[in-house]
């Protein structure tokens, strides 16, 4: 999905050995990045985290990596959908518990990639599958996950005036 690196700008975290600097809050995203008129697409990506997915036998769980992001994530990066589509801007705004999942996870859970409309359960919540994407290489850490959800589904208590937080800004620009 990270094919157009010449059109991509992402805020990066850095460290001085004691503290980490560079992650952003949603307030910073809303103030500085989402209003950009010259960008093709702008998204915030929550720091990736592991979740436990309930397997079909309802006795076992599988730990997978999850990325919470905005609907524009799928315009910033070029994912190849095997079925379905990205979650919509409306799904994002409404905090709908929906997900895009990897092809390998779809096969593990449902035995096929035609998983749109089915339910994935993780962290004690049900998410409706909106789409299934080809597996992403772990060599592309900004986009590598098995589950992608709207960050509006997260239960976060954020200080509305804080500028630092768990998000990375990713912007796709014009090459011109």
């Amino acid at each position: 999905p990270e094919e157009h690196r010449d059109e991509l700008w992402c805020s990066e975290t850095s460290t001085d050995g004691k503290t980490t600097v560079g992650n952003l809050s949603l307030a910073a995203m809303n103030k500085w990045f989402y209003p950009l008129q010259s960008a093709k697409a702008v998204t915030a990506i929550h720091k990736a985290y592991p979740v436990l997915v309930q397997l079909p036998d309802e006795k076992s769980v599988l730990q997978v990596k999850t990325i919470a992001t905005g609907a524009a994530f799928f315009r910033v990066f070029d994912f190849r959908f095997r079925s379905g589509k990205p979650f919509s801007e409306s799904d994002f705004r409404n905090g709908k518990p929906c997900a895009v999942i990897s092809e390998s996870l779809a096969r593990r859970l449902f035995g096929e990639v035609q998983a749109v409309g089915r339910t994935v359960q993780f962290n004690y919540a049900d998410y409706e599958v909106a789409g299934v994407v080809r597996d992403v290489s772990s060599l592309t850490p900004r986009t590598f996950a098995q589950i992608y959800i709207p960050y509006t589904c997260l239960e976060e208590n954020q200080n509305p005036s804080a500028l630092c937080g768990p998000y990375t800004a990713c912007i796709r620009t014009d090459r011109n």
Side-chain angles (χ1 to χ4, degrees):
E2 298 181 28
E3 292 177 6
H4 299 281
R5 290 187 178 176
D6 58 333
E7 298 177 4
L8 188 63
W9 180 88
C10 291
S11 66
E12 298 294 340
T13 59
S14 61
T15 182
D16 64 5
K18 296 179 187 170
T19 57
T20 300
V21 180
N23 284 358
L24 302 166
S25 68
L26 289 177
M29 288 296 303
N30 290 327
K31 184 175 185 175
W32 298 327
F33 297 103
Y34 282 133
L36 290 173
Q37 303 264 333
S38 59
K40 284 184 183 179
V42 177
T43 194
I45 302 173
H46 189 282
K47 182 180 172 187
Y49 58 96
V51 298
L52 297 175
V53 173
Q54 181 75 46
L55 293 177
D57 67 8
E58 297 185 3
K59 297 176 186 170
S60 307
V61 293
L62 175 68
Q63 184 172 315
V64 299
K65 186 174 175 184
T66 300
I67 289 178
T69 189
F73 180 76
F74 300 99
R75 292 191 313 275
V76 171
F77 299 102
D78 295 324
F79 283 80
R80 289 180 177 75
F81 278 78
R82 300 282 288 138
S83 67
K85 59 186 181 192
F87 50 82
S88 70
E89 187 66 37
S90 175
D91 294 339
F92 171 77
R93 276 193 314 275
N94 294 319
K96 180 180 178 183
C98 56
V100 171
I101 64 174
S102 69
E103 180 177 6
S104 61
L105 183 60
R107 289 188 192 283
R108 179 86 188 261
L109 295 175
F110 308 114
E112 61 181 348
V113 298
Q114 302 303 324
V116 175
R118 296 174 104 166
T119 301
V120 175
Q121 185 183 69
F122 60 92
N123 288 0
Y124 307 105
D126 291 337
Y127 287 77
E128 181 181 334
V129 176
V132 177
V133 292
R134 286 193 174 161
D135 289 351
V136 175
S137 170
S138 62
L139 297 176
T140 56
R142 273 188 210 109
T143 55
F144 171 71
Q146 290 88 17
I147 299 176
Y148 306 87
I149 63 169
Y151 65 69
T152 51
C153 293
L154 301 177
E155 293 182 21
E156 294 184 309
N157 295 321
Q158 291 194 16
N159 177 343
S161 62
L163 297 178
C164 294
Y167 293 89
T168 297
C170 286
I171 301 166
R172 187 155 176 192
T173 63
D174 279 321
R175 282 187 262 213
N176 301 332

